[in-house]
């Protein structure tokens, strides 16, 4: 059987460079010169560049690639992310008052000997606190703009669990430099036009507009929505999810800080609007904002105007003196088409799709970079030694990721479906039972009588763990008809003490942690 020695990655960006770096870290072409990892990207293809949120898994990914955390933070305009704050998702703004809840990264496992959900549900009226704020001090840290660690905390370790917000363009450049200089990835700038197939349908080489033929044994399609290999070469069908997830457009805008020394948010802010939601991500030097919306419920002009109004209002709030009224008016707005769905197969013959060429399931929970990480992890852990292994690996890989796509769709849909907003057709349409996947419909029916448990997520490959579902269900006030008895709550007094301990920690956390801005400035100055 022909051995697999040469890996060719088609396309750059976050997906391409994470794939190339991960595979080079695994194959070590600098030491084992019979192996090679080559990345080919067009010199003039613009990146979408709005994937600025990550999950805590990114810390292990960067660490395993041999990346210095402080160097990464300095190079990528990165800041700390501690979860997502969902504003006005449950109900619309009423009389000037926002409603909100947190999906925090600090899971209760570390602070709770038993899952706290049933105890919070039983005691919630006595506690007088939303679920996330009752079980963890992380929402209090977010509200006070605190960092999840101190300068003395070892790299990639945490006091409170965290990920990063980052500049996607700078991140791709940083990975490119690291992959080339430290890991031995070969970088080629060329326009890939087609693929040359063998008689058995495997890709032998890719052909560039410049007339070059680049041979390989395994090809990674990171060419974005264009999908040069999976789509244009193999015509792998795309499974759309527009009947479930109704957004299909976005408009993005980079907003400067009114005060360069002002606070930096550590949750991603997700603020519901009449036809979608606005993301607001605080980096070191700017904010990244965007309106993800349904073109069936508003127009591009109306969406841009909504985003500018949001940016103008939040810009004014962030400074002591009123802003010049024309600053936001002159910011560039980029309009983006969103094609939501996934390939029916993302591994075919000797081609693997990652990133947008494989799937895009909207950025609500920032799952895109995590799914690239998951793709890289599975491929490197099960890296095939010869072509004879590909058929079995293809079957396993596709089964795993087909399940993952569906679970991500279910989790994202949960946010929309549980809303009680009735102020627009967008929200009414999202709460139609006909828009629910059957799997989510069955789970919700079960959760009417039982709290989420380990039996709901039996796979170790779940994108979202049980605790994540609890943050959304309890945050959106999905009230179930649990009828607790003493036997079902055997640790009630211990739970009461723990709720009190968490409340005390939340009030004292400012004494332990610096602000985001202060810690990031210290990292910038640390040498």
């Amino acid at each position: 059987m022909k051995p697999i020695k040469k890996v060719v990655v088609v396309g750059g960006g976050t997906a391409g460079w994470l794939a190339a770096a991960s595979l080079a870290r695994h194959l070590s072409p600098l030491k084992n010169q019979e192996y090679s990892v080559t990345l080919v990207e067009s010199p003039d293809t613009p990146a979408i560049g709005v994937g600025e949120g990550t999950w805590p898994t990114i810390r292990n990914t960067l660490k395993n690639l041999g990346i210095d955390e402080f160097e990464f933070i300095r190079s990528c305009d990165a800041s700390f992310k501690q979860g997502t704050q969902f504003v006005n998702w449950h109900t619309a703004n009423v009389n000037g008052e926002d409603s909100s809840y947190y999906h925090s990264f600090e899971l209760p496992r570390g602070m709770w000997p038993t899952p706290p959900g049933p105890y919070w549900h039983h005691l919630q009226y006595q506690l007088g606190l939303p679920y996330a704020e009752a079980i963890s001090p992380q929402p209090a840290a977010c509200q006070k703009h605190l960092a999840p660690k101190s300068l003395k905390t070892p790299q990639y370790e945490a006091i409170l669990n965290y990920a990063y917000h980052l500049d996607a363009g700078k991140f791709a450049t940083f990975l490119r430099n690291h992959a080339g200089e430290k890991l031995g990835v070969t970088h080629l700038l060329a326009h890939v036009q087609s693929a040359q197939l063998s008689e058995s349908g495997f890709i032998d080489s890719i052909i560039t507009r410049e007339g070059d033929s680049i041979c390989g044994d395994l090809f990674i399609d990171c060419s974005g929505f264009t999908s040069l290999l999976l789509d244009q070469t193999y015509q792998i069908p795309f499974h759309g999810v527009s009947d479930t997830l109704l957004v299909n457009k976005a408009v993005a805008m980079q907003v400067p800080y009114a005060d360069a020394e002002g606070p930096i948010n550590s949750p991603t802010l997700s603020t519901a609007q009449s036809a979608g939601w606005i993301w607001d991500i605080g980096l070191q030097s700017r904010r990244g904002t965007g309106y993800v919306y349904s073109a069936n419920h508003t127009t591009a002009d109306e969406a841009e105007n909504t985003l500018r109004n949001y940016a103008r209002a939040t810009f004014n709030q962030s400074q002591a003196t009123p802003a010049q009224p024309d600053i936001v008016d002159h910011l560039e707005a980029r309009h983006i088409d969103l094609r939501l769905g996934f390939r029916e197969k993302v591994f075919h013959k000797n081609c693997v799709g990652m990133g947008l060429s494989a799937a895009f399931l909207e950025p609500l929970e920032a799952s895109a970079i995590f799914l690239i990480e998951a793709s890289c992890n599975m491929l490197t852990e099960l890296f095939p030694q010869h072509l004879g292994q590909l058929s079995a690996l293809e079957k396993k890989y596709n089964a795993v990721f087909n399940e993952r796509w569906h679970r991500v769709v279910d989790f994202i849909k949960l946010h929309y479906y549980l809303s009680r907003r009735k102020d627009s057709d967008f929200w009414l349409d999202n709460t139609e039972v006909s828009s629910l996947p059957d799997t989510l419909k069955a789970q919700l029916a079960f959760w009417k009588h039982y709290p989420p448990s380990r039996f709901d997520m039996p796979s170790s490959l779940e994108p979202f763990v049980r605790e994540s579902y609890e943050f959304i269900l309890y945050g959106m006030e999905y009230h179930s008809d649990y009828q607790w008895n003493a036997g079902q709550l055997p640790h009630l007094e211990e739970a009461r003490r723990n709720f009190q301990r968490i409340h005390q920690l939340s009030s004292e956390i400012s004494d332990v942690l610096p602000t985001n801005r202060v810690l990031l400035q210290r990292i910038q100055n640390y040498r």
Side-chain angles (χ1 to χ4, degrees), residues 205-244:
S205 63
I206 53 174
I207 311 300
T208 70
R209 185 196 303 171
E210 292 79 7
D212 295 319
S213 176
I214 302 169
C215 297
D217 305 315
L218 182 67
F219 292 81
I220 315 299
D221 187 352
C222 298
S223 58
F225 286 130
T226 304
S227 190
L228 290 166
L229 302 182
L230 284 180
D231 184 21
Q232 295 189 21
T233 300
Y234 284 126
Q235 289 86 50
I236 302 298
F238 184 85
H239 178 77
V241 293
S242 59
D243 56 339
T244 298

Side-chain angles (χ1 to χ4, degrees), residues 58-213:
I58 193 67
R59 289 171 21 225
N60 270 335
T61 296
L62 297 178
K63 184 178 180 180
N64 291 338
L65 291 176
I67 290 171
D68 181 277
E69 184 179 29
F70 287 4
E71 183 184 357
F72 155 73
I73 288 173
R74 287 192 288 259
S75 299
C76 299
D77 199 16
S79 61
F80 300 106
K81 176 181 177 182
Q82 298 188 61
T84 302
Q85 182 180 1
F86 292 96
V87 181
N88 296 335
W89 278 76
H90 180 233
T91 54
N93 180 297
V94 178
N95 298 324
E97 292 292 325
D98 289 339
S99 65
S100 73
Y101 71 94
Y102 287 87
H103 177 188
S104 300
F105 283 154
E106 186 66 31
L107 302 182
R109 297 172 188 175
M111 295 187 174
W112 288 85
T114 187
Y119 296 92
W120 172 83
H121 191 278
H122 183 68
L123 298 171
Q124 60 179 305
Y125 297 110
Q126 296 177 36
L127 295 170
L129 288 172
Y131 174 72
E133 294 168 49
I135 68 163
S136 168
Q138 191 157 54
C142 291
Q143 291 160 9
K144 298 172 184 178
H145 305 290
L146 300 179
K149 61 192 297 183
S150 72
L151 192 65
K152 295 180 180 179
T153 311
Q155 289 203 4
Y156 296 117
E157 293 187 17
I159 295 175
L160 296 172
N161 199 17
Y162 70 93
Y164 311 100
H165 293 134
L166 51 85
D167 183 304
K170 292 180 178 180
F171 185 46
T173 300
F174 178 79
L175 288 173
R176 180 190 69 199
N177 294 337
H178 183 79
E181 296 169 6
K182 305 291 180 61
L183 302 175
V185 173
T186 300
H187 181 208
L188 300 177
L189 292 174
H191 301 84
V192 177
Q193 283 194 320
S194 62
Q196 189 73 36
L197 302 183
S198 68
E199 291 184 0
S200 56
F202 288 82
I203 300 175
D204 281 337
S205 63
I206 53 174
I207 311 300
T208 70
R209 185 196 303 171
E210 292 79 7
D212 295 319
S213 176

Side-chain angles (χ1 to χ4, degrees), residues 14 47-54 165-169 225 250-254 268 277 279 281 286 288-292 334-338 356 360 362-363 366 368-369:
T14 300
I48 289 183
V50 297
E52 298 187 321
T54 58
H165 293 134
L166 51 85
D167 183 304
F225 286 130
V251 53
M253 186 183 300
Q254 296 181 0
T268 297
W277 58 277
W279 79 75
I281 287 176
R286 64 167 174 83
T289 67
Y291 185 12
V292 180
R334 293 191 300 124
H335 291 263
I336 305 163
D337 291 330
L338 304 180
L356 297 178
F360 184 68
E362 89 141 283
I369 293 178

Side-chain angles (χ1 to χ4, degrees), residues 274-483:
S274 62
W277 58 277
I278 287 176
W279 79 75
D280 191 337
I281 287 176
L283 303 183
Q284 294 180 52
S285 64
R286 64 167 174 83
R287 291 158 50 209
T289 67
Y291 185 12
V292 180
Y293 66 94
S294 165
N296 297 317
H297 296 86
T298 192
T299 67
D301 288 343
E302 289 170 342
E304 181 176 329
N305 189 53
T306 297
L307 180 60
R308 288 193 187 278
N309 286 339
Y310 172 90
R312 192 177 295 110
T314 52
F315 186 88
N316 286 338
Q317 289 172 3
S318 66
Q319 62 174 13
T321 57
Q324 299 176 15
D326 61 347
I327 290 179
V328 171
D329 295 337
H330 289 88
L331 296 176
E332 178 187 3
R334 293 191 300 124
H335 291 263
I336 305 163
D337 291 330
L338 304 180
R339 189 186 183 198
L340 271 56
F342 51 88
R343 298 281 166 196
E344 291 187 4
K345 294 174 67 178
V346 293
F347 198 135
H348 184 70
K349 299 291 186 178
N350 62 335
C351 174
V352 184
M354 295 187 188
L356 297 178
S357 65
F360 184 68
L361 300 172
E362 89 141 283
L364 180 61
E365 282 282 1
S367 57
I369 293 178
F370 162 76
L371 291 166
I372 297 168
E373 294 177 75
S375 301
C376 294
N377 291 341
M378 186 170 184
L379 187 58
T380 53
E381 187 172 337
L382 301 178
F383 191 83
Q385 299 303 306
H386 54 76
L387 294 184
Q389 294 177 272
L390 290 181
S391 178
L393 179 57
E394 173 187 322
K395 184 177 181 180
K396 177 70 69 176
Y397 194 99
N398 285 326
V400 166
F401 276 89
N402 187 64
E403 179 66 16
R404 277 177 162 158
W405 308 142
H406 282 96
R407 299 295 277 186
V408 172
V409 170
D410 282 3
F411 189 68
I412 292 173
K413 182 61 179 181
L414 183 68
H415 299 63
Y416 290 102
Y417 183 74
L418 296 184
S419 177
R420 297 181 186 174
R421 293 183 62 136
K422 301 184 184 301
D423 54 301
S424 69
D425 288 340
F426 174 79
W427 292 101
L428 293 173
D429 292 345
N430 263 297
T431 54
E432 287 287 338
V433 175
S434 59
S435 70
L436 271 187
D438 289 341
T439 46
L440 180 56
K441 190 183 301 182
Q443 287 280 47
L444 286 170
F446 188 78
W447 288 331
K448 268 295 184 185
H449 307 284
Y450 296 91
S453 72
R454 60 191 177 92
F455 302 107
D456 297 313
M457 289 90 197
S459 171
S460 62
L461 300 176
E462 291 287 341
F464 297 95
V465 295
R466 169 180 56 80
E467 291 88 345
S468 291
Y469 282 87
E470 290 174 329
F471 279 121
I472 309 308
L473 289 167
Y474 296 139
M476 294 289 279
E477 300 181 11
Y478 185 69
H479 293 294
S480 306
D481 60 355
Y482 309 149
Q483 299 296 319

